[in-house]
Every structure is written in C-alpha cells, then in structure tokens.
Amino acid sequence: MNIHQHRTLISSIMGADDISGLMAESRAKRDAGFGSIVTYSPKVFIPLTKACRDVCHYCTFAKPLRSGQKAYLEPEEVLEIARQGEKAGCSEALFTLGEKPELRYKAAREALDRLGFETTLDYLAHVAGLVRDQTTLLPHLNPGTLTREEFAQLRPFAASMGMMLETTSERLSARGGPHFGSPDKAPRVRLDTLDAAGQAGVAFTTGLLVGIGETREERIDAILKIRASHERYGHVQEVIIQNFLPKPDTKMRAFPPADPFEHQWTIAAARLLLPDDISLQAPPNLAAGSGAELLEAGINDWGGVSPVTIDHVNPEAPWPSLDRLSDITASRGKTLAPRLTIYPRFLKNAETWLDPKMRTGVLRASDAEGLAFEGRWTPGALEAPPVIRPGGSVDPAIREILDLPPGTELDERQIVSLFAARGKSFHAVCDHADRLRQSVNGDEIHYVVTRNINYTNVCTYSCAFCAFSKGKTHETLRGPAYDLDMKEFARRVSEAWDRGGTEICLQGGIHPGYTGETYLNLLRVARQAAPGIHIHAFSPLEIWQGARSIGLSLTEFLSLLKEAGLSSLPGTAAEILDDEIRALIAPDKITTDQWFDVMEAAHGLGLKSTSTIMYGHVEAPVNWARHLLRLRRHQLKFHGFTEFVPLPFVALEAPMYLRGHSRRGPTWREAVLMHAVARIVFHGVIDHIQTSWVKMGPKGAEVCLRSGADDLGGTLMNESITRAAGAVHGQEFAPWQMEDLIRSIGREPVQRSTVYGPVSEERRQRAMQAAPLDAMVNTPFTGKRLRQSQQA
C-alpha cells in the first residue's frame, strides 16, 4: 500500500459513521488471513503482586499495600495455581503484576529481601522458571515497561510477553487524566518498551484501551505506532482492543463505559490498518453484547480464557464457559480452537523468538500447526480418545475441496487445508472419506494373520525418532542388543505357519555385520522353515544397504531376493518423504529419491509393497501433503502400492523427544485426519487405507475405520519396534478379536493375504484355533558378524 492509498484508507475509516461497511471489510480481511478458525488461549491467571508504583484512576488490580499484607505470592502458591491449571488442560500461565512496587513500598523491598531477590523482575524470573521447569504450562509475562536488557533477563523464562500500550495520548497523563501520577503510562515510555521487545526478540502482545477519554484520532495514532514498531522488528503477535468498564472504588467509577459502537469501530480500524499477520483480540468477558458482535467487527482471537482462575484485572466480569464461547463462535460460522501463548508463525521460527530453554516446553505443548495440543491422547498409550464437537460450520474452502469430483488430484495447498479441519469441518472430511471408502470397499474390513520378526535391533544409524535400534548413541534405550541366531529365527517362522499365519514381516536394524548375503540367507531359511508362507520383508533402507554391500544394482539385488523367496516389501523407512524433514530426523538415512528408487526397482520386477508415513514429530502439514502427493504420483506410474499405512509417532521413549526436540506425537484430530485425508487424496489410486491398532489402540482404530480406513492391519503375534518406543499395545490382536471389533461397527471382516487375495479355509480355522506362543529368546549381540552360512 503506497502513501496515498494509506491516507485514503485512514480518511475513510475516520469518516465512517455507519460502520457496517467498515466491519464487512474488516471481516473480509480477517477471513482471508485466518480462515474459519477463531482461537483462544486456555490459561491460568497468576497475580504475582498487586502492588504497583503507578496510580491509574480506573484500575482495581493494583492496590496499596496495607500493614501486614503480603506483597507477593510465595513460590509454592505460584506452583499450586499453575498445577490447578495444568490439571484443567491449560497451556498458558499468565503472570500479571504491578510495576516496580519496590520503588514505592518499603514492604515490597522487605518482602523481596526475605525471598532472596533484589527486584520484582528477579523474583518474576525465578517463579516463571519454576513453572517452566515443573509444569507443562508456558509462562506469558506482563511485567509492564522494560528495557531491552530487562527483556533479555526474562526471555529464558517466557514463551511470550506483553504490555498494553493503551494510548499514545499525552493528554491522558496530564493532571485530571486517567494516567496522571503513573510514570510508566507515559506514551513515550511504553513505545520504547514496545520497541525494546522487538530488539530483544520477544513475541509480544500489546493493545489499546478504548473509552478512557481518548479520541478516534488518538486511537488511530496508537494503531499506526504499533504497526510501525512491528514493521521494524516483526514481533507483535496480537493486538488487544479492550473496552473500558468503570469499576467501584476507583476515581473513574462514574465515567461511562466504552461505547460499544466505538469499540467495534476501533476493532475494524485496527484490522484494516494493522499488517495481515497480526491477530486481533477482544476479551469475551467484557463484551457489551453476547460477544458475537466482536466477531462481526473482525477479531480472530478471544485471548486468554481460564477454567480455573478469575480475571484479576476485571474480577466483576466472569469468563464465559468454553461451551458458551464455542457456541458464540459457531453462531458466526467459525470454529473455536485452543492456541499457545506464542503464535504459530513465531513457533515456526523458534530460533529467533524463543530462548533455547523455552523451546522444549513449547514444542511439546504444540500440535502440527503450532496451535495447542488438544486432549491427553497420544499414540500407543491408554488414554481414551477425545470427542471432537461438531461446532461452527464447514469451512467454505474445505467444502469446495470436498465437492470436487472424487479422485481429483489435489494440490499441496488444498491438502494442507483438509489437515486443518476442525469442528464441523473435521466431521465433514471424515464423513466424506468414509463414503469414498464405502464406494471402493463396501462394508468389508480387511486384516492379515502375520508375525513380525525383528531379527536384530543392532543398527549403525542413529535416527532421532527410533527407540528400537541399539548402537553407540542408543545404549540407554529399553532392552539389550540382540541378533537372532538362525535356529531361533527359523523356529519363529515355523511357529507362525503352525498358528495359521499367512505372512511373516521381516525387518531389523542395519547391523554392521550384515551384507546382501545376510538378507538372502534370511529368506532361504524362512522359505525352508515354512514353504507356503508369504515373506513380506526388508525396508527400502535394508534393500539399499544390502545392494551396496555386495556391489549390485537395486534391480539385480531385488531379483536375487525374489528368487530366494521375497514376496513383497514393507514400505517403511519412509518417515516423511520430504528431505527438508529427513535432514532433521535421519540425516544419514536414504533420501526421498533413493527411497523411491528402491520402490521403482521393486515394482518394476512385479514385487508389491505397502506405503507408510510416520508423522507427529517435527514436521508440518505441508510436509504431509508433499509426502502424499509423491506417493500418489509414483503409484499412478508404477501401480505397486497395495495400501497406505499411517504410523503416528510414538514419542515416549524416542531419543528426539527425550532430548526435547520433537512434539509428543500427533493429536487425536491429526491422527484421524491422516487416514481420512489419505483416503481422499488416494481415491482411485490406492484402494486400501490401513489403521495401526498398535499405535491407535483398538478404540482409535475403530474411529479410523469410520473415517476412511478399510484395513485393520496384522495380528502381529509379536511386535517390538512400537513397544520399544513406549506403546502399551502390540503383542497380539487375535483374529477373533479383530473380527469382533469389525462386526461391532457393523462391518464385515475379511481375512486377506498380504496382497489382498483370498485365504484358504484351512488357514482361517488354524488361525482361529492358534495355540499360545512359545517363549521367545533374543540371542544376545556379541559384536561378532553373523555367519552368513549359518543354517537352522
């Protein structure tokens, strides 16, 4: 926008008496930038001290210290409030406090001395650090005016900070004005603080207080000064447009409340004048009406809402319940979503905006979009899946995608939009996916009777997500290193066949002593032990490593493997097929192109494979979209994938989670959407979508079967990799249990072969009547190379 256009816009805003048009423009800009989501921050309010050196004439938060009155909350009291919020599902600890009370009150100085601190800021840093380190809450600090050096002091203890600019009117600090006698409310001091936050690299919240005697021109001036500071430093994440309400026992108790018309006008003006990426907020508990009028004016955020503590700044105004807030939001076609105290675009650049000591907590509190992790469900654990309310209306952008002809190739942006679905949009995506599933597979839900045999957990690679492999960097992970001898390996293969198995799935670590001959020998032993079994074996990484170790091309090596008994490949080692992410989680592993090179060679020889994704760690929905599109385009050319298997990241024992470098897995919503969106993207290209009961749990798998999935995967008999990462599921899900689950949702169970062929009645009956498994023996790793000629 050039200077002339800017002046024209300001002139039109200033002259707007009928603000309906202004608000419509504001909403259009809001919707273009933020879509159908309206956010809020679930928080607890921690009033560290209500003592303040300022005497704002409308404030009931700051109170003069009386004789015998405590000046500060004790550390134990701070932690108790924080823990109550933690139990209630909050993610933010909002520290509010008066400005520098030690400069005014002897009692404050004495209290600080007793606590062992020189200043209020020193004590704030200490207790915020306790909350950071001893709870899952993210501190947001509102200590008032600060210098750049003071911001730097507090930055390691805060995910974000804030200070209301309130006004740039010098008049209001003169005698008789609301800020008279309050040196920290001088506009220049507060503008300096706003700039200092940017200079210190702090994600910052600021805002205006409407109705304390300022004019429209002065409000516009304040908005433009916020804009100018943000253009210099890029640090303003949200602007609050708060309406003044008079309070008893203040000098301004007889002053009229802010005119609702002026409040809405200011919201619309701020939306139109501020940069597109700044969120606009108005407190719902202070709304003159239901709050819907604030959405009409252009806000996209409700601010902090607490299920635990009152609004200590406005104690007379209770928070609306989250159900009520959700209903108000839905009344305007929007969907309510929780966020963190730091906004997603700042989290994407965490190195700039977060101190290293804050990054782990923020990452673990976030979902893939950088909003708040919802619920307590995580993959592989026992927590019950949450219920997602069908609030709001279907996002028009999502409805447009769902209305496309089935099988249309979506672009990256459209797929990302589907992954962002919440509320009613989430249910619309899942229902659409389920209809596509019905059109392809009818009421049939498939499963396969298989045994996983992980023949070694010794690995030369150090993938950041893997809790299974054992090597120099993984010595502390669960379980000892092992390398099966061939007798035990053959026994497990034979036992799988005797128990009705139609498939064995073979995968292991990249053992330093293994070569291509080792993999060939494994196949020969397996084929001898059970001639009729389907051998589903070796990840693309193992294929790549095996071929290189004996100097063969991929096609040459795969041909030998096929001759030795290889029947199909698991499409694992894919993780995220986007090298931007692979460089972070597995930098020494095969690249995306190399993974597809293996698949192209295998599919060219007539070997089928599965395809997978492992998601919920450091990647974003755009990386999911790239992964799905790359698989789709390969399948259109080579037709080798039998199914797609979403594998949610199990974080508990994973190295990168333990080091604080990853999220805690996908949210429930994200995990279900991965199945639904995959069905939509792959319609007509990959017919089968499998859900992992090991990672989703039986209840989670049931929901996925209603959201586009048609396959329950394998009975497994044994599973080591996911359980090593901390999952509680994974030993065996017997055929009769699978069939009971499938029938419970009104579907027809179908036992299948690995490549979706029929299974003989003899195999079915044997599987249904399988004897208990014999005890397994994992041969301890001695550090010696496996003898390739060793036979069972």
Side-chain angles (χ1 to χ4, degrees):
M1 184 183 298
N2 61 37
I3 294 175
H4 175 73
Q5 291 171 320
H6 197 228
R7 288 174 177 168
T8 301
L9 175 60
I10 293 173
S11 178
S12 67
I13 291 171
M14 287 297 301
D17 292 321
D18 177 9
I19 65 168
S20 58
L22 197 68
M23 290 167 60
E25 290 181 55
S26 173
R27 291 194 301 274
K29 185 178 180 185
R30 184 262 322 271
D31 293 349
F34 297 94
S36 65
I37 301 299
V38 173
T39 50
Y40 76 101
S41 178
K43 72 176 181 184
V44 285
F45 212 126
I46 302 178
L48 186 63
T49 178
K50 293 188 176 184
C52 183
R53 73 164 176 170
D54 294 320
V55 288
C56 301
H57 298 173
Y58 48 75
C59 180
T60 57
F61 174 77
K63 299 182 183 299
L65 280 176
R66 308 296 182 192
S67 176
Q69 181 184 351
K70 286 176 58 176
Y72 298 90
L73 292 178
E74 299 288 330
E76 295 77 15
E77 293 173 305
V78 169
L79 283 171
E80 176 59 27
I81 295 170
R83 286 168 179 148
Q84 289 176 13
E86 190 175 37
K87 289 178 184 177
C90 295
S91 60
E92 175 187 343
L94 170 62
F95 283 86
T96 54
L97 53 154
E99 296 227 18
K100 305 174 183 66
E102 66 273 24
L103 298 183
R104 180 179 175 187
Y105 296 106
K106 179 182 178 182
R109 294 191 293 274
E110 291 173 344
L112 287 170
D113 184 63
R114 179 182 59 79
L115 289 164
F117 300 94
E118 184 175 347
T119 69
T120 298
L121 293 186
D122 294 337
Y123 183 50
L124 173 61
H126 173 69
V127 291
L130 294 178
V131 170
R132 180 198 65 189
D133 296 338
Q134 297 186 32
T135 77
T136 58
L137 301 188
L138 305 177
H140 173 87
L141 310 183
N142 280 350
T145 56
L146 299 175
T147 64
R148 180 176 179 174
E149 292 71 27
E150 289 168 332
F151 273 117
Q153 175 191 355
L154 294 175
R155 193 172 182 267
F157 309 101
S160 59
M161 297 189 223
M163 177 209 67
M164 291 288 282
L165 175 60
E166 295 192 12
T167 181
T168 54
S169 172
E170 299 284 354
R171 296 184 304 106
L172 301 184
S173 292
R175 183 175 295 277
H179 290 156
F180 179 71
S182 301
D184 299 298
K185 290 299 177 76
R188 186 67 262 159
V189 174
R190 296 183 91 72
L191 288 169
D192 286 345
T193 295
L194 183 59
D195 278 351
Q199 294 161 2
V202 171
F204 205 64
T205 294
T206 189
L208 278 63
L209 184 56
V210 176
I212 56 173
E214 81 293 343
T215 64
R216 280 189 174 184
E217 289 83 355
E218 288 166 336
R219 281 182 238 145
I220 293 291
D221 180 69
I223 292 167
L224 293 178
K225 284 186 167 63
I226 292 171
R227 176 186 179 122
S229 182
H230 180 71
E231 287 174 342
R232 285 191 290 273
Y233 305 110
H235 64 306
V236 178
Q237 57 175 3
E238 61 182 347
V239 169
I240 304 169
I241 307 298
Q242 183 170 326
N243 51 314
F244 165 75
L245 293 177
K247 296 174 173 57
D249 301 323
T250 67
K251 289 185 177 180
M252 293 181 68
R253 59 187 176 274
F255 207 80
D259 182 343
F261 179 90
E262 287 299 308
H263 189 209
Q264 290 172 277
W265 178 90
T266 309
I267 291 170
R271 173 64 70 197
L272 294 173
L273 290 172
L274 289 171
D276 297 350
D277 57 356
I278 290 180
S279 280
L280 202 59
Q281 175 194 132
N285 58 320
L286 305 184
S290 70
E293 72 280 3
L294 306 178
L295 292 168
E296 290 291 288
I299 67 165
N300 67 288
D301 186 85
W302 291 115
V305 177
S306 180
V308 176
T309 51
I310 64 170
D311 179 352
H312 286 276
V313 175
N314 301 282
E316 77 286 356
W319 306 110
S321 70
L322 292 183
D323 285 345
R324 174 62 179 153
L325 198 61
S326 179
D327 290 341
I328 294 168
T329 307
S331 74
R332 293 302 180 267
K334 303 294 182 183
T335 301
L336 188 66
R339 62 165 172 84
L340 303 178
T341 183
I342 184 170
Y343 275 77
R345 64 187 175 86
F346 291 87
L347 181 51
K348 288 177 183 176
N349 297 291
E351 294 76 12
T352 299
W353 299 107
L354 284 170
D355 185 90
K357 293 180 181 178
M358 279 303 312
R359 290 177 202 163
T360 294
V362 173
L363 195 57
R364 289 179 174 177
S366 73
D367 69 8
E369 295 176 270
L371 296 174
F373 192 103
E374 293 185 78
R376 301 185 186 277
W377 180 89
T378 54
L382 291 174
E383 289 87 351
V387 175
I388 297 178
R389 290 185 57 185
S393 57
V394 178
D395 187 324
I398 289 177
R399 173 53 60 199
E400 183 180 335
I401 297 167
L402 300 183
D403 287 342
L404 292 170
T408 299
E409 179 165 309
L410 305 181
D411 61 28
E412 191 177 286
R413 177 189 58 81
Q414 290 170 316
I415 296 172
V416 170
S417 293
L418 293 179
F419 278 123
R422 295 173 184 262
K424 190 169 287 186
S425 295
F426 167 84
H427 289 283
V429 171
C430 293
D431 291 346
H432 183 74
D434 201 46
R435 287 191 293 273
L436 293 179
R437 186 250 344 134
Q438 171 74 26
S439 71
V440 174
N441 296 293
D443 286 333
E444 294 182 348
I445 300 296
H446 307 88
Y447 71 95
V448 62
V449 179
T450 183
R451 182 173 205 168
N452 278 19
I453 304 178
N454 307 118
Y455 33 81
T456 185
N457 63 355
V458 177
C459 190
T460 59
Y461 288 86
S462 52
C463 300
F465 56 84
C466 183
F468 171 74
S469 66
K470 297 289 177 283
K472 290 182 179 179
T473 61
H474 296 75
E475 292 170 355
T476 63
L477 298 180
R478 136 183 340 191
Y482 70 86
D483 183 13
L484 291 189
D485 65 34
M486 288 297 97
K487 184 176 180 180
E488 171 66 9
F489 174 74
R491 186 198 68 77
R492 293 189 196 180
V493 175
S494 178
E495 185 179 41
W497 179 257
D498 292 343
R499 298 180 84 247
T502 61
E503 169 194 296
I504 51 169
C505 179
L506 309 181
Q507 294 183 99
I510 306 301
H511 189 299
Y514 281 20
T515 70
E517 288 297 330
T518 310
Y519 297 114
L520 288 165
N521 188 55
L522 285 165
L523 293 172
R524 295 180 188 118
V525 172
R527 182 58 68 219
Q528 184 179 26
I533 208 157
H534 182 108
I535 305 177
H536 185 62
F538 311 140
S539 71
L541 176 60
E542 291 175 287
I543 300 292
W544 183 275
Q545 182 77 6
R548 188 174 62 175
S549 71
I550 54 177
L552 296 179
S553 70
L554 291 172
T555 299
E556 290 168 336
F557 183 50
L558 281 161
S559 296
L560 292 178
L561 294 173
K562 187 176 180 182
E563 290 173 12
L566 180 65
S567 310
S568 63
L569 278 69
T572 51
E575 287 80 56
I576 299 294
L577 292 170
D578 185 343
D579 287 337
E580 173 188 328
I581 302 302
R582 298 181 80 79
L584 298 175
I585 65 173
D588 53 352
K589 209 167 182 178
I590 56 175
T591 65
T592 297
D593 286 345
Q594 289 168 338
W595 190 93
F596 278 104
D597 286 344
V598 173
M599 288 304 181
E600 181 176 342
H603 296 164
L605 291 171
L607 290 166
K608 298 292 187 181
S609 75
T610 63
S611 58
T612 67
I613 186 172
M614 193 269 288
Y615 62 102
H617 35 90
V618 300
E619 81 298 352
V622 67
N623 307 110
W624 301 343
R626 292 169 187 167
H627 183 109
L628 297 184
L629 286 172
R630 189 75 186 266
L631 289 176
R632 187 181 195 279
R633 290 162 188 166
H634 178 94
Q635 180 74 343
L636 286 170
K637 188 173 182 181
F638 297 103
H639 310 286
F641 295 133
T642 55
E643 70 221 74
F644 175 70
V645 190
L647 301 172
F649 172 56
V650 178
L652 189 61
E653 298 286 346
M656 64 182 175
Y657 179 74
L658 295 175
R659 294 173 189 142
H661 296 164
S662 79
R663 302 193 300 277
R664 48 179 158 152
T667 66
W668 169 249
R669 180 187 63 86
E670 292 166 345
V672 175
L673 278 175
M674 184 60 74
H675 297 76
V677 174
R679 172 64 68 184
I680 295 168
V681 171
F682 293 142
H683 183 69
V685 180
I686 301 175
D687 288 341
H688 302 290
I689 307 295
Q690 182 185 128
T691 184
S692 170
W693 62 267
V694 177
K695 293 176 170 62
M696 297 298 298
K699 287 295 184 184
E702 180 181 318
V703 173
C704 292
L705 292 175
R706 299 179 187 273
S707 304
D710 71 290
D711 194 285
L712 201 46
T715 56
L716 299 189
M717 300 191 196
N718 305 110
E719 198 282 336
S720 303
I721 295 174
T722 304
R723 288 180 66 82
V728 297
H729 313 291
Q731 285 306 290
E732 184 170 28
F733 201 20
W736 64 268
Q737 293 174 304
M738 286 206 167
E739 296 203 357
D740 282 352
L741 186 153
I742 292 165
R743 289 193 178 97
S744 75
I745 62 171
R747 305 279 173 77
E748 182 63 31
V750 176
Q751 186 183 339
R752 62 167 174 88
S753 71
T754 305
V755 294
Y756 290 85
V759 172
S760 72
E761 187 61 24
E762 181 273 333
R763 290 283 89 194
R764 274 187 50 79
Q765 290 303 319
R766 187 176 286 268
M768 288 293 182
Q769 301 170 30
L773 287 162
D774 288 342
M776 296 191 303
V777 178
N778 285 336
T779 314
F781 175 55
T782 63
K784 297 179 181 179
R785 179 173 175 150
L786 183 73
R787 295 198 310 274
Q788 294 162 6
S789 61
Q790 184 181 18
Q791 298 293 317

